[in-house]
């Protein structure tokens, strides 16, 4: 005769009861599960097993990120920054333009070559710079490390944008991850493929603009406010800073209050320093996907490519922004 200790029998029965209790919500109708979540204590079983694509169905998408567009935008920004720097340093040139992954400059005097190369290195540290035999033509293209940074930053930013948009659908436990050099794998159980494509396919564009002075002549752009779409804001049409110039942004604390700390790349840092020096006391708009997320006031010149945005945020608001 097999003898089972009483405590073992009690433990076995208890495990079976608990297992049945925690599995029970999976066979309950949705209305009953909703009632259980609203009325039972938080520790009581009310959640169901999240079914994957194999059991629940859903969307399985593989996207290729067009990084070449970002590389061209970086080259265009480099070109604009070089034009300004060459004028400031009184370096004459007969031609300047964009080439694949970089810029080409034709100087008037070969004696200015070293100064032009110094400006290029300051603009972007990850450049391969070649000079013609006469010393007049300089070509600067992004090296492997520079291109790798562009690829990595673009993919990580794209994954974050996709994750935020899918989270708005309420999809549980989506899989969003990098695959290979320039692709993003998306698996969203229970989601409709066409709806997901429409949401993901919308272009995300981040820009910083000065606000348009009321009554001032000239063109302007009008954007709605993210927190209240019935309100609008007029801004200068030319963007001061674009998203590819933003290297990092994260919530932080200053004097015990939540703020957003951000860091710009070399081009964005110099451009922002120049703009904030000339516009202290004026607000600027942070625009994402055609909506104004926030419009803080420039309190002082922002130098060195790093700054903070404050505005009485809660911790959650700072994190979201």
């Amino acid at each position: 005769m097999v003898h089972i200790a009483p405590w073992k029998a009690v433990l076995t029965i208890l495990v079976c009861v608990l297992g049945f209790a925690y599995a029970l919500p999976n066979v309950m109708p949705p209305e009953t599960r909703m009632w259980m979540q609203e009325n039972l204590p938080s520790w009581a079983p009310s959640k169901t097993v999240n079914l994957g694509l194999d059991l629940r169905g859903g969307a399985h998408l593989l996207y290729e990120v067009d990084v070449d567009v970002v590389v061209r935008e970086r080259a265009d920004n480099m070109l604009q920054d070089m034009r300004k720097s060459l004028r400031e340093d009184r370096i004459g040139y007969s031609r300047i333009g964009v080439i694949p992954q970089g810029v080409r400059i034709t100087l008037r005097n070969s004696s200015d070559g070293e100064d032009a190369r110094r400006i290029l290195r300051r603009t972007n540290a990850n450049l391969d710079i070649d000079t013609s035999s006469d010393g007049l033509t300089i070509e600067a293209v992004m090296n492997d490390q520079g291109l790798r940074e562009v690829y990595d930053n673009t993919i990580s930013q794209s994954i974050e944008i996709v994750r935020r948009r899918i989270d708005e659908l309420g999809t549980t436990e989506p899989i969003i991850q990098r695959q290979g050099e320039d692709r993003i794998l998306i698996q969203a159980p229970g989601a409709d493929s066409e709806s997901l494509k429409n949401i993901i396919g919308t272009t995300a564009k981040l820009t910083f603009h000065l606000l348009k002075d009321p009554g001032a002549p000239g063109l302007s752009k009008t954007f709605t406010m993210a927190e209240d779409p019935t309100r609008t804001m007029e801004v200068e049409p030319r963007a001061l800073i674009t998203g590819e110039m933003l290297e990092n942004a994260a919530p932080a604390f200053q004097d015990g209050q939540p703020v957003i700390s951000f860091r710009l790349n070399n081009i964005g840092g110099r451009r922002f320093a120049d703009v904030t020096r000339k516009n202290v006391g004026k607000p600027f708009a942070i625009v994402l996907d055609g909506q104004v997320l926030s419009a803080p006031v420039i309190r002082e010149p922002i130098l060195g490519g790093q700054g903070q945005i404050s505005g009485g945020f809660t911790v959650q608001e700072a994190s979201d922004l």
Side-chain angles (χ1 to χ4, degrees):
M1 181 177 181
V2 178
H3 175 73
I4 300 177
W7 68 269
K8 289 185 179 180
V10 172
L11 181 61
T12 301
I13 294 173
L14 182 60
V15 169
C16 292
V17 170
L18 290 175
F20 177 78
Y22 275 90
L24 189 60
N26 290 280
V27 297
M28 293 288 186
E31 297 79 8
T32 305
R33 289 201 302 270
M34 184 67 67
W35 181 90
M36 293 171 65
Q37 293 174 356
E38 293 176 352
N39 296 277
L40 295 181
S42 58
W43 51 264
S46 60
K47 296 182 179 180
T48 60
V49 174
N50 291 319
L51 303 179
L53 290 178
D54 51 347
L55 297 176
R56 187 180 177 187
H60 177 104
L61 304 173
L62 184 64
Y63 276 89
E64 181 179 5
V65 181
D66 193 356
V67 185
D68 291 339
V69 171
V70 182
V71 173
R72 287 196 294 270
E73 287 183 353
R74 293 287 177 92
D76 287 336
N77 288 331
M78 195 189 309
L79 175 67
Q80 295 175 21
D81 194 62
M82 281 300 301
R83 278 199 178 117
K84 180 179 178 182
S85 297
L86 291 172
R87 286 197 301 266
E88 290 176 347
D89 289 9
R90 300 183 183 278
I91 297 175
Y93 60 90
S94 59
R95 183 178 298 175
I96 184 171
V98 173
I99 60 176
Q101 302 175 1
V103 296
R104 178 189 293 124
I105 305 165
T106 302
L107 302 173
R108 291 201 178 100
N109 299 309
S110 59
S111 58
D112 292 327
E114 186 55 40
D115 290 334
R117 287 188 288 271
R118 173 179 50 80
I119 293 173
L120 283 166
R121 295 189 192 99
R122 187 182 66 193
T123 302
N124 188 332
N126 298 316
L127 292 176
D128 287 335
I129 301 176
D130 292 324
T131 306
S132 62
S133 57
D134 59 7
L136 293 177
T137 301
I138 300 174
E139 290 187 355
V141 297
M142 282 178 272
N143 57 26
D144 290 342
Q145 181 178 348
L147 291 173
R148 172 59 54 195
E149 288 183 1
V150 172
Y151 268 76
D152 291 344
N153 290 338
T154 302
I155 296 296
S156 62
Q157 290 170 2
S158 300
I159 287 176
E160 180 61 24
I161 291 169
V162 170
R163 189 182 307 280
R164 286 179 177 273
R165 292 183 176 181
I166 291 179
D167 285 346
E168 293 177 359
L169 295 177
T171 302
T172 55
E173 297 187 3
I175 295 174
I176 308 167
Q177 60 189 22
R178 181 173 181 172
Q179 187 170 87
E181 183 74 14
D182 55 1
R183 288 176 170 81
I184 298 176
L185 173 67
I186 303 167
Q187 292 182 338
D192 177 68
S193 296
E194 291 304 318
S195 299
L196 205 57
K197 288 178 184 178
N198 292 335
I199 292 175
I200 295 173
T202 305
T203 301
K205 192 70 174 179
L206 175 70
T207 52
F208 291 58
H209 300 256
L210 282 173
L211 266 63
K212 182 74 173 178
D213 290 333
L219 300 175
S220 65
K221 283 186 176 181
T222 302
F223 295 111
T224 59
M225 302 294 293
E227 60 183 16
D228 184 1
T230 62
R231 294 173 54 204
T232 59
M233 181 173 289
E234 281 194 68
V235 303
E236 297 285 348
R238 179 174 176 270
L240 305 176
I241 303 293
T242 53
E244 64 271 10
M245 300 178 190
L246 188 66
E247 288 191 343
N248 187 38
F253 286 90
Q254 184 181 47
D255 300 328
Q257 297 297 318
V259 297
I260 295 99
S261 176
F262 65 91
R263 185 176 71 250
L264 301 167
N265 63 15
N266 292 336
I267 297 174
R270 284 194 298 277
R271 187 179 297 180
F272 209 46
D274 183 53
V275 169
T276 53
R277 249 194 311 262
K278 299 175 182 177
N279 294 278
V280 173
K282 295 182 180 179
F284 71 96
I286 304 172
V287 181
L288 177 65
D289 284 346
Q291 290 188 315
V292 179
L293 298 181
S294 181
V297 173
I298 301 171
R299 296 181 177 177
E300 58 186 3
I302 300 175
L303 310 177
Q306 299 187 56
Q308 291 181 334
I309 301 171
S310 58
F313 305 118
T314 65
V315 174
Q316 186 61 45
E317 288 170 342
S319 179
D320 291 343
L321 181 56

